[in-house]
Amino acid sequence: MTMPFYVAPEQVMKDRAEYAQKGIARGRSLVAAVYDEGILLVAENPSRSLHKISEIYDRIAFAGVGKYNEFDQLRVAGVRHADTKGFAFSREDVDARSLANLYAQFLGQVFTHEMKPLEVEILVAELGDEGHRHQMYHIAYEGTITDEDRFAVLGGDAVTIAERFRSAVVDGWDLDTALRAAVGTLAGPERTLQPSDLEVAVLARGSTRRAFRRLPAAELAGRLLPPKGRSARGGKPAPEEDGSGRTRAGSAPAEE
Amino acid sequence: MVLPLFAPGSDPGPDFAALIRASGVSGGAPIERPLAPPGSAAGGASVGPGPLPLRHGTTVAALRYDAGVIMAGDRRATEGHFIAHRAMEKVFPADRHSAVAIAGAAGPAVQMVKLFQTQLEHYEKVEGVALSLEGKANQLGQMVREHLPMAFQGLAVVPLFAGFDLRREEGRIFTYDVTGGHYEETDHAATGSGGRDARTTIKLGWRPGLRREQAIELVVQALYNAADEDAATGGPDVLRGIYPVVATVTVEGYEPVAQDEVAQRFGVLVERGLAGGSAS
C-alpha cells in the first residue's frame, strides 16, 4: 500500500484558493452601488435568460459571478431559506445578514473540507428601510464575508475595477449617473458595452412590496444615453421575458 | 437554520409545499388523521358540524368586466350562531396578476391562502418566470384536494380564483369544489353560504363589457342581496364604516378598491332603490 505524499496544509489551501480564483477570473465582473433611491446591480452578461442577478425576497437581491451552476444552486438555496423563514415567521423577519452568514458558512465549509472549492463570489444586498441603512454583503469563494457600504465589485478583475469605480462614486447620486458610471467602469477605457451585453437590476424604494426590478434593454438604452442627447426614456417596465431555458445542470456555460 | 441544500435526487424543485415538508416546517400538509371525538369508533365522515357544508359564513363573488375581473367578499365571520368577526378580509392578492377569495372554515382557509401566495412567488423566483394562470389555478386545486380529509371533518375550504391571463389578455375565473376539482366559469361566479343569492343578482345584472363602476355596483349589490337572505353573510355596515372588500385584477395587476369608493358606490345604489333592478 502506498502512502500519500505529505502536503503542508498551507500548500493545500494555497492550491485551492488559486484554483477558485482562476475559475472566477474566467468570468466577467459585476458592480453593485448604492444610489439615492436604492441599490443598483450591474453585470456584464450577454445571456438574457441565465441570470447573474436575481431576486431573493421582498427587499433582498442576490448576485453571483464565477461558475453559473454553482452560484445558481446557492441562489435557489437562498430563495428557499428566505421563503421558508418568511412563511414560518413573518416577512419582516427575513434579513440579508443571516442569509449572508449561512452562505459564508457553507462556502467556508466547502473550501476546507471538500475536494473542490466553489468557484464563485456572491453578493447579498438588502434595501434599507426607514431608519435602516442599505446592506451589501460580499462573500468570497472561501467564505470571507465583507460588509460593503457604498459599492461592491465582484469578479476576476475586481481590484482594477474597484479602483476605477472608487474615484467615480458620489454620495446620493441618481440612478442614471450611477448606471453610466458602473457601465463605464465595467467596460474600461478600451471598450464600450451595449445594453445587450448587460444585465441590470435595482432594489428600489417604491410602492410595491417587492423591491427588485430588472431594467429591460429598451429602458437601459434610454438611461445609458448621455443626459443632454436624451429624448424620452425607452420602454416601460415590461413583464419579464420568459426565461424559457434556464439551465441548471452542470453543463451550464462555466464561465458565465 | 442551515442553508436548505438538497441532493439532486431529493430536490423539491420550485414546489414550496414540498420544500416545507422536506424542511419540517408545519403548515404544508393537512392533519392526516381525522380528529375523532373521544369514545367514537373511528373518525368518520359524520364527525363535525354537519355534512360537508360550505356554511361557515361567507359570500365571495367574481365577475368579468371590460378591463379584467373584479372580486369581492363580505366581511362577516361566524362561529355557529355567533358573529366572530365583523371586518374579516376574504379577498387576497395571490400574486401580481391574480386574486383568491375564500369561503369555508376561516383558519385553514387563511393558511391555505398564505401557502398559495408563497408557492406562486417561490415558483416565480426559483424558475425565473411566473406560472401561467392555468398553472396557478391547478396549483390551488391541488391544495384544496390535499385538504379533503379536513373537509370531511366539516372544515371545508372552497376558494374562488380569478386573474388576468397575460397570454390571452383577458380576465378568467375559476371555481372549486372540496375535492379540488376546478372549473372555469365564463363570466361570473359566486360561492359560500350566500353564493346562490349573489349569483342570481349577478346573473340578472351582468352583460358583456361592463365598466369598472358598473361592475363594482353589481358586485356590491350581489353581496347586499346575499346578506339580505343569508344570516352568515354580513351586509354593508354604515355605522362602523365596514364595506365589502373589492379588488380588481387587470393587465396592470391586482388592485384593491378603496373602502371610500365602495361606500360611494353603495350610496349610489341606495339612492336608486337597492332591492330592485340591475346595476346598470
Side-chain angles (χ1 to χ4, degrees), chain A residues 173-228:
Chain A
W173 52 359
D174 65 5
L175 177 56
D176 291 6
T177 322
L179 180 62
R180 279 195 298 273
V183 173
T185 320
L186 276 178
E190 283 107 46
R191 300 187 300 157
T192 331
L193 289 173
Q194 298 306 316
S196 58
D197 304 324
L198 294 166
E199 181 185 352
V200 181
V202 291
L203 279 173
R205 292 198 182 106
S207 52
T208 53
R209 174 169 61 77
R210 291 164 78 177
F212 183 86
R213 183 170 79 88
R214 290 187 193 284
L215 268 51
E219 184 184 346
L220 198 56
R223 288 186 184 276
L224 281 175
L225 287 177
K228 50 180 172 5

Side-chain angles (χ1 to χ4, degrees), chain A residues 56 75 80 83 87 102 106, chain B residues 11 13 114 122 125-126:
Chain A
I56 293 272
R75 174 189 73 86
R80 285 177 177 160
D83 277 344
F87 183 79
L102 287 179
F106 178 71
Chain B
D11 195 294
K114 194 177 159 193
H122 187 74
K125 288 190 289 194
V126 170

Side-chain angles (χ1 to χ4, degrees), chain B residues 4-255:
Chain B
L5 289 156
F6 296 87
S10 58
D11 195 294
D15 185 354
F16 183 73
L19 170 68
I20 55 174
R21 275 196 295 274
S23 323
V25 178
S26 73
I31 299 162
E32 291 196 2
R33 198 170 54 79
L35 305 162
S40 79
S46 60
V47 184
L52 275 190
L54 311 179
R55 292 184 180 269
H56 287 252
T58 231
T59 304
V60 291
L63 59 95
R64 298 205 321 168
Y65 72 109
D66 62 358
V69 285
I70 193 161
M71 204 175 223
D74 78 301
R75 305 291 290 270
R76 180 172 292 178
T78 52
E79 275 174 20
H81 296 296
F82 300 99
I83 292 171
H85 208 299
R86 289 178 210 283
M88 193 191 161
E89 303 211 356
K90 300 165 188 172
V91 179
F92 305 89
D95 70 349
R96 213 168 294 155
H97 284 102
S98 60
V100 58
I102 49 169
V110 170
Q111 184 71 5
M112 187 183 288
V113 167
K114 194 177 159 193
L115 183 63
F116 184 53
Q117 289 169 328
T118 313
Q119 167 75 70
L120 296 187
E121 194 183 313
H122 187 74
Y123 181 96
E124 186 187 329
K125 288 190 289 194
V126 170
E127 289 292 304
V129 52
L131 271 170
S132 64
L133 194 68
E134 197 91 42
K136 292 172 199 169
N138 198 16
Q139 268 288 326
L140 186 57
Q142 285 167 21
M143 284 176 191
V144 175
R145 181 160 54 245
E146 277 180 28
H147 191 76
L148 189 60
M150 298 274 274
F152 278 117
Q153 297 296 301
L155 295 173
V157 175
V158 181
L160 188 61
F161 180 68
F164 193 86
D165 192 326
L166 290 167
R167 299 176 200 194
R168 292 199 198 175
E169 298 187 336
E170 61 177 13
R172 297 171 72 186
I173 300 169
F174 297 87
T175 53
Y176 294 81
D177 62 26
V178 283
T179 64
H182 58 285
Y183 315 94
E184 184 166 2
E185 304 289 332
T186 47
D187 300 316
H188 49 77
T191 185
S193 53
R196 207 184 144 112
D197 302 295
R199 208 154 40 230
T200 310
T201 308
I202 294 174
K203 197 183 275 176
L204 289 173
W206 193 87
R207 57 201 150 74
L210 283 176
R211 281 179 289 112
R212 185 170 177 276
E213 313 84 72
Q214 294 173 320
I216 296 174
E217 278 173 26
L218 182 56
V219 87
V220 168
Q221 189 179 22
L223 290 177
Y224 175 85
N225 286 343
D228 222 20
E229 300 294 330
D230 174 38
T233 299
D237 189 338
V238 183
L239 271 182
R240 296 189 181 84
I242 299 170
Y243 292 91
V245 174
V246 185
T248 58
V249 188
T250 63
V251 67
E252 307 286 337
Y254 177 94
E255 203 183 330

